[in-house]
Amino acid sequence: MTDHQPDGTSPPPPQVIVVGRANIDITVRIPRRPQPGRTTFASAPATTTAGGKSLNQARAAAGAGARTTLVANAGTDEWGTFLRRALTDAGVDVSHFQLIPSAPTGVAIVEVTPDAENHIVLALSPATELTADQVRDALRRLHAPTVLTQLDLPPDAVDAVIQHHRAETLIGNLVPHAALGSAVLAALDLFVCNEHEAAAILGRHHADPTIAAQELCGLGPRVAVVTAGARGAAYSTAEHIKLVPAPHVHAIDTTGAGDQFLGTLAARLAQNTPLGHAVADAVSAATAVVRA
């Protein structure tokens, strides 16, 4: 069934479809990480916010001006309702954001240290993991020039994205699920990860992110992008390799910076922005988040 706007017309199709997860973030700021058997007191009250990589990316894409749909699940608890409201308030289409009956919503515990680094533990809710059927149903109903998916979703869900998307640009993010391995990268137009994720895939860390991007590109995606924190982001195609530097700022919290980068990048590509300019815009957007 097609949804309609109040005037009876069909809503415009999305420009970006994000497929993945949504969860609640409980964030604490701590002076240092606790030692075994010891307690560290937080330096401020805990905050509870909408989170999850795909939810963050969808909100970032919408904030960058793209009509955005999130395909994800949460539970029918108070937190699931909170996530749906946060998405709606951000202008994200929630027609394929399902609240699963009797399922709890996933929760991430985020520890932020004085150096602005974050340490995250995610308690997944297995009952809210996307299924292949849910992905197929959403992608059959939706069409957008850009689809962005988490590669650490259950393998059947990732396979469904690859087989049923109708996008001009398919973007993958994160270390692929172990059952998929790096072979899945060949199905992507763009692969985006951070330096730590690149090292996990390549089996070694490269101090120069352009080298990591080049090696990832060699695994099959048309474009590989490696985010490098305060240094910016590197991207590689078959013909071109470049590092886009980030402006120097005093970072307060790096949580969500990578998602802001990726959501902005997806929006710009959907808006037909050239790759180099899209990466530069994404770096600027991520930088604004860490100093906020």
Side-chain angles (χ1 to χ4, degrees):
M1 180 179 295
T2 301
D3 294 329
H4 292 278
Q5 301 185 95
D7 63 1
T9 62
S10 297
Q15 295 172 296
V16 176
I17 301 169
V18 183
V19 182
R21 297 189 180 100
N23 56 257
I24 286 291
D25 284 352
I26 298 177
T27 302
V28 292
R29 294 183 177 275
I30 54 177
R32 68 190 65 83
R33 301 206 75 199
Q35 297 296 316
R38 300 291 300 276
T39 298
T40 293
F41 290 94
S43 55
T47 60
T48 301
T49 55
K53 295 198 72 64
S54 292
L55 181 146
N56 292 338
Q57 292 161 9
R59 292 204 296 183
R67 297 186 302 275
T68 305
T69 297
L70 175 63
V71 180
N73 298 326
T76 50
D77 51 17
E78 180 180 352
W79 282 348
T81 303
F82 177 84
L83 295 180
R84 179 185 284 272
R85 185 168 59 250
L87 287 163
T88 301
D89 289 347
V92 177
D93 170 43
V94 294
S95 59
H96 293 275
F97 180 71
Q98 300 187 51
L99 299 184
I100 307 301
S102 303
T105 297
V107 179
I109 307 299
V110 184
E111 299 176 344
V112 181
T113 46
D115 59 359
E117 288 298 325
N118 59 77
H119 310 269
I120 302 172
V121 177
L122 175 59
L124 285 175
S125 173
T128 64
E129 287 284 81
L130 280 172
T131 67
D133 286 343
Q134 289 170 335
V135 172
R136 279 194 295 267
D137 179 66
L139 295 182
R140 283 170 180 165
R141 294 169 181 265
L142 298 168
H143 177 65
T146 301
V147 170
L148 165 58
T149 187
Q150 289 187 220
L151 297 178
D152 64 347
L153 294 173
D156 288 350
V158 177
D159 284 339
V161 175
I162 292 170
Q163 294 171 16
H164 295 282
H165 82 88
R166 295 177 290 165
E168 299 167 14
T169 303
L170 176 61
I171 306 173
N173 178 227
L174 302 174
V175 177
H177 190 287
L180 296 170
S182 61
V184 72
L185 302 186
L188 305 174
D189 296 296
L190 275 86
F191 174 60
V192 183
C193 67
N194 63 34
E195 291 181 288
H196 306 292
E197 293 158 349
I201 295 169
L202 297 172
R204 56 190 175 279
H205 174 75
H206 290 294
D208 184 347
T210 61
I211 297 176
Q214 185 177 28
E215 290 193 6
L216 288 170
C217 192
L219 296 178
R222 186 165 54 86
V223 181
V225 181
V226 176
T227 58
R231 288 177 292 160
Y235 66 90
S236 174
T237 69
E239 301 83 21
H240 190 62
I241 305 167
K242 185 175 181 180
L243 175 67
V244 178
H248 178 72
V249 297
H250 174 65
I252 297 173
D253 183 358
T254 59
T255 306
D259 298 332
Q260 188 71 29
F261 175 94
L262 196 45
T264 303
L265 178 65
R268 292 292 178 261
L269 293 175
Q271 295 157 350
N272 296 315
T273 303
L275 176 63
H277 294 298
V279 173
D281 283 354
V283 168
S284 295
T287 301
V289 166
V290 304
R291 66 183 178 190

